[in-house]
Amino acid sequence: MQPSANIPPSSDNAISPQEDRIELSWNGEKFLLLPEKAVLIPRLRTILIADPHFGKAAHFRKAGIPIPEKVHLQDFLKIQKLIHGHAATEVYFLGDLFHSDWNESWTDLEEFAGYFPGCGFHLVKGNHDILPEKLYQSGVWEIHPKPTILGNFLLSHEPLEDVPSEMFNFCGHIHPGIALYGIARQRMVLPCFFQNERQMILPAFGRFTGIVNMASGTDNRAYAIAGKKVVKVKFC
């Protein structure tokens, strides 16, 4: 069983080796499942990220729980590596970009986005994206209040029940994970990409989020994030 502010520009743009990711396709459009908990659509030079929940640490600190802001710094650096390493020109956040009410972390997030003038940042709004509309109008974000189409793909926050037959739905919201068992009955739940016929639920990108154990089934596939690899899980 395999286990699983100001942001300065970094020279560390290394990306995961080809064998550490999973390559899939839909109607001839290739996409990659990356161990950074993101999806890359190479032809469109586009990265998909779900549920980063930036600002969540500050909400907990306000409630008296001593959560360090560095929990989000690591996520900033991971996005930076994804953009530079894959020469991305677009990043789509599939909802829950920021965790509910405004706090000072929003300023850090917009400042971070400013380091990438050649990259467009999109937000497909989710249930936690409840900031005042004027904050989304800073020029940093392109806002999609409803599910949006990108080529052959339908992007949404929550999984859609009725996906058109010619489309494939990328979404988040669930924070999917899959339980793996060792020979000594050890149990570990790893974040995963969870797929059915025309839908892929992305793992929560944020490091300060929970995991929901998904039930296996004959129509489902799971790709677990095992350290720095994405591995296909075989259902028994």
Side-chain angles (χ1 to χ4, degrees):
M1 180 176 63
Q2 290 183 291
S4 165
N6 288 336
I7 312 299
S10 170
S11 59
D12 181 12
N13 297 331
I15 57 177
S16 55
Q18 187 70 40
E19 63 270 17
D20 289 346
R21 56 188 86 163
I22 298 287
E23 180 178 316
L24 302 171
S25 65
W26 174 260
N27 285 347
E29 185 75 83
K30 180 172 70 174
F31 60 91
L32 304 177
L33 310 183
L34 305 178
E36 294 85 0
K37 302 181 183 177
V39 170
L40 172 68
I41 307 174
R43 184 182 68 84
L44 303 179
R45 296 173 65 184
T46 295
I47 292 169
L48 309 180
I49 292 171
D51 302 287
H53 286 272
F54 288 115
K56 191 171 184 178
H59 281 289
F60 275 78
R61 288 199 302 274
K62 186 176 180 180
I65 303 173
I67 303 297
E69 185 60 29
K70 287 183 180 180
V71 73
H72 294 313
L73 173 60
Q74 295 304 314
D75 291 334
F76 282 149
L77 294 176
K78 189 162 57 171
I79 293 173
Q80 178 176 263
K81 184 177 76 171
L82 286 167
I83 293 172
H84 288 320
H86 297 288
T89 57
E90 307 288 339
V91 175
Y92 281 78
F93 293 100
L94 305 185
D96 291 358
L97 171 65
F98 198 77
H99 191 75
S100 300
D101 298 333
W102 184 92
N103 61 56
E104 67 276 5
S105 297
W106 179 256
T107 303
D108 294 336
L109 176 58
E110 291 212 315
E111 184 174 342
F112 168 74
Y115 283 115
F116 310 97
C119 186
F121 291 93
H122 301 253
L123 171 59
V124 181
K125 293 184 76 172
N127 54 298
H128 280 280
D129 297 308
I130 60 172
L131 294 177
E133 286 301 316
K134 64 180 180 180
L135 292 179
Y136 297 120
Q137 296 169 3
S138 62
V140 174
W141 316 103
E142 183 169 343
I143 302 299
H144 306 274
K146 297 181 179 181
T148 189
I149 293 174
L150 179 68
N152 294 325
F153 305 122
L154 182 58
L155 310 182
S156 64
H157 176 56
E158 298 187 20
L160 300 177
E161 293 185 3
D162 298 314
V163 180
S165 59
E166 72 278 9
M167 304 295 290
F168 188 86
N169 177 213
F170 284 112
C171 54
H173 185 61
I174 304 297
H175 303 190
I178 194 74
L180 302 182
Y181 297 86
I183 57 175
R185 296 188 178 180
Q186 314 98 303
R187 180 178 183 274
M188 178 178 294
V189 179
L190 299 179
C192 73
F193 299 89
F194 197 77
Q195 181 184 1
N196 61 32
E197 183 182 3
R198 295 198 304 275
Q199 187 175 78
M200 177 77 72
I201 307 174
L202 275 64
F205 184 84
R207 297 173 67 245
F208 197 49
T209 56
I211 297 177
V212 174
N213 187 22
M214 306 294 284
S216 61
T218 56
D219 296 330
N220 299 325
R221 300 175 187 173
Y223 303 90
I225 310 296
K228 295 183 178 180
K229 292 185 177 182
V230 181
V231 294
K232 185 176 180 179
V233 177
K234 294 182 179 180
F235 294 146
C236 299

